[in-house]
Amino acid sequence: MKIHEYQAIEIFQKEGVPVIDGHIASESGEAAGIAKKIGYPVVLKAQVLAGGRGKAGGIKFVEKQEDLEKTFRQLQELKIKEYGIEKILVARAVDIKEEFYVGIAVDNLRNSVVLIASSSGGIDIEATARENPGAIRKFYLNKDKSIDKTRWLEFICPVFKDSSHQQTVTAIFQGLIRIFFDNDCSLVEINPLVIDGQGEIFAADAKINFDDNALFRHEDIYKMRDLTFEDPDEREAEGYGLSFVKLDGNVGCIVNGAGLAMGTMDMIQLTGGQPANFLDVGGSSDPEKVLNAIKIILKNKNVKVILINIFGGITRCDDIAKGILEAKKQLDISAPLIVRLAGTNEGEGQELLTQNGIRTFSTMREAVSQAVRLGRES
Ligand code: GDP
Ligand code: MN
C-alpha cells in the first residue's frame, strides 16, 4: 500500500525527521488561507500516488497571493497518469541549494534491508542506479538492526561533506529506520532531501510504501488507504478473496495456488502468448470463487480466451467444474474456455464439463498451447 506525501510527512514529523511547513487543501480558498499563514512564495504539490509528478507538471511555484487561485485551479485540472487531482499540498517554497536522495528499501538479492544515500537527488533515482551506480551508496544494518559506526561514516561522509550535516542526516536515518521497522514498510524514501541557503536540511518529498501482508496489524496505517488510486477490478477481487493482478495480455488466467499461477503465466509467455492477469483462486474449493473469478476476468476487454488451470489437492476438481457451469449459466461468456483439471476428483470434474459441452485438457502444456493459439487468432 502507498500513502500520499502529506500523510508520509505526518509520520516523518512524529519521528523527528525535519519537513517543510505545509498543509493539505482541497479548494483554493483553503489554500489561500494556508499560504497566508506560511508566507509567500509557496509551492503547490499535487497529491497523487504515481511517480514522476514533478515532470508531469504536478508541482507549481506561486510567488504572490494574486497568482494562487489561478495556479491552484490549473493544478486541479491536471491529470497525472489518468488520475485526477483532489488534494494539493501547500508548502513553504524552500530556496534549494543541494538535492540528495536518502531511503530505506528491501534488497531482495541480499535478503536484507538496505539504506541508500546519494548526492544525485531530486531526479529519477532508478536512472542514476543504471547509468551511474557509483553515485549511489548503500549500507546494511547489523543483524540486530544496529549501526556499525565505522562502516556508517564510510557510508555517509562521501555524500554529506559537512560534519553538522552528517549528524543531522544520521538522526534522520535513525528516524527512517524506526518508521521502516515499526510499520512493516517496504520503502521509506526522501527524494529530494534538500539543503537550503542557510545550510538547513529538510525532507522536500516523502514516500512510504507498506507491506500489504502486514497491514492487518497496522489499523492506523490502513485507514490512510486511498482507493481512488487503486485498480477497481483488483479491489473487487480482493473483496472476493482472490489474489488478482491485472496485466497487458489477452489470455485470462484462473489458477489455484500462486506458484502454479506464476508457472502458468511463464508457460504462456514461453509459448508466445501474453497473460491478461495473475489470478489465484486459493486452495479452497468454493464454486462461488470460480464464478467471481470469471466475472472479474470478463471485465477486461482485452481478454480473448480464458484459461483455467487447476491442480486439485484440497481443491476438488468437481467443485471447480460446478463453478464453471454456474458461471456459464449466469454470465454471458463470449470468450472460449480452456480447462485443464488434474488431481482430486478430476474424473468427476471432467465429466461434468464434457456433459455440458466444455472440452477439458489433461496436461497444462496442451491447455496453454490451445489458449495461446486462440488468443493469437482472435
Ligand atoms: P516528485 O516529482 O513527485 O518526486 O516531486 P518532488 O516533491 O520530489 O519535487 C520534484 C522537484 O521539485 C524537486 O526535486 C525540487 O527540485 C522541486 N521542488 C519541490 N519543492 C520545492 C521547493 O520548495 N523549492 C524549490 N526550489 N524546489 C522545489
Ligand atoms: Mn520526489
Side-chain angles (χ1 to χ4, degrees), residues 43 45 52-54 59 61 92-94 96 99 122 191-192 204-205:
V43 202
K45 306 179 86 176
R53 171 182 59 165
I59 301 198
F61 289 83
R92 179 170 68 82
V94 172
I96 296 179
E99 300 195 348
N191 187 26
D205 192 5

Side-chain angles (χ1 to χ4, degrees), residues 141-160:
L141 294 169
N142 294 329
K143 281 244 152 30
D144 63 357
K145 295 177 192 161
S146 64
I147 286 173
D148 177 292
K149 283 235 174 69
T150 323
R151 281 196 299 117
W152 182 256
L153 293 176
E154 288 165 10
F155 166 61
I156 207 104
C157 295
V159 182
F160 300 93

Side-chain angles (χ1 to χ4, degrees), residues 28-278:
S28 63
E30 207 181 343
I34 297 163
K36 197 172 172 195
K37 244 189 233 155
I38 292 173
Y40 286 87
V42 294
V43 202
L44 302 184
K45 306 179 86 176
Q47 299 296 291
V48 282
L49 295 179
R53 171 182 59 165
K55 279 189 201 147
I59 301 198
K60 299 212 183 304
F61 289 83
V62 182
E63 296 289 342
K64 48 189 192 306
Q65 196 180 336
E66 300 88 273
D67 301 336
L68 185 103
E69 190 173 328
K70 196 174 140 224
T71 313
F72 192 91
R73 287 193 198 288
Q74 278 173 357
L75 212 47
Q76 273 181 318
E77 280 157 24
L78 190 71
K79 286 218 157 173
I80 298 180
K81 290 185 185 152
E82 99 227 37
Y83 297 117
I85 288 147
E86 282 174 14
K87 292 195 170 97
I88 294 169
L89 178 67
V90 185
R92 179 170 68 82
V94 172
D95 98 81
I96 296 179
K97 288 286 182 278
E98 282 183 276
E99 300 195 348
F100 300 85
Y101 174 99
V102 302
I104 307 182
V106 176
D107 184 332
N108 292 311
L109 292 178
R110 290 201 35 174
N111 201 3
S112 174
V113 166
V114 62
L115 276 55
I116 303 165
S118 174
S119 51
S120 325
I123 49 159
D124 186 358
I125 192 75
E126 286 85 2
T128 307
R130 272 194 310 273
E131 289 148 25
N132 187 14
I136 292 177
R137 305 195 56 83
K138 294 181 180 177
F139 180 89
Y140 294 90
L141 294 169
N142 294 329
K143 281 244 152 30
D144 63 357
K145 295 177 192 161
S146 64
I147 286 173
D148 177 292
K149 283 235 174 69
T150 323
R151 281 196 299 117
W152 182 256
L153 293 176
E154 288 165 10
F155 166 61
I156 207 104
C157 295
V159 182
F160 300 93
K161 302 284 180 329
D162 183 295
S163 74
S164 80
H165 290 157
Q166 289 160 11
Q167 273 178 26
T168 310
V169 171
T170 300
I172 289 174
F173 262 115
Q174 281 161 340
L176 298 185
I177 290 168
R178 284 193 299 273
I179 293 169
F180 189 94
F181 290 108
D182 289 353
N183 300 293
D184 293 306
C185 295
S186 54
L187 179 79
V188 179
E189 184 182 272
I190 307 177
N191 187 26
L193 180 77
V194 301
I195 300 184
D196 72 1
Q198 278 76 52
E200 272 210 74
I201 296 189
F202 300 99
D205 192 5
K207 188 166 168 181
I208 307 182
N209 297 349
F210 302 91
D211 180 348
D212 291 349
N213 293 317
L215 281 174
F216 72 93
R217 54 185 186 195
H218 302 289
E219 235 174 275
D220 49 333
I221 301 288
Y222 190 75
K223 273 193 213 131
M224 295 189 226
R225 186 173 176 194
D226 185 349
L227 294 174
T228 51
F229 289 89
E230 291 183 25
D231 183 273
D233 295 347
E234 290 185 10
R235 238 194 297 157
E236 191 178 335
E238 190 186 330
Y240 296 141
L242 303 166
S243 306
F244 172 79
V245 181
K246 213 186 215 164
L247 301 166
D248 299 327
N250 66 9
V251 181
C253 302
I254 298 176
V255 188
N256 69 317
L260 187 59
M262 299 288 273
T264 305
M265 297 196 308
D266 283 353
M267 200 182 268
I268 291 171
Q269 298 260 11
L270 290 170
T271 314
Q274 295 283 334
N277 62 275
F278 167 97

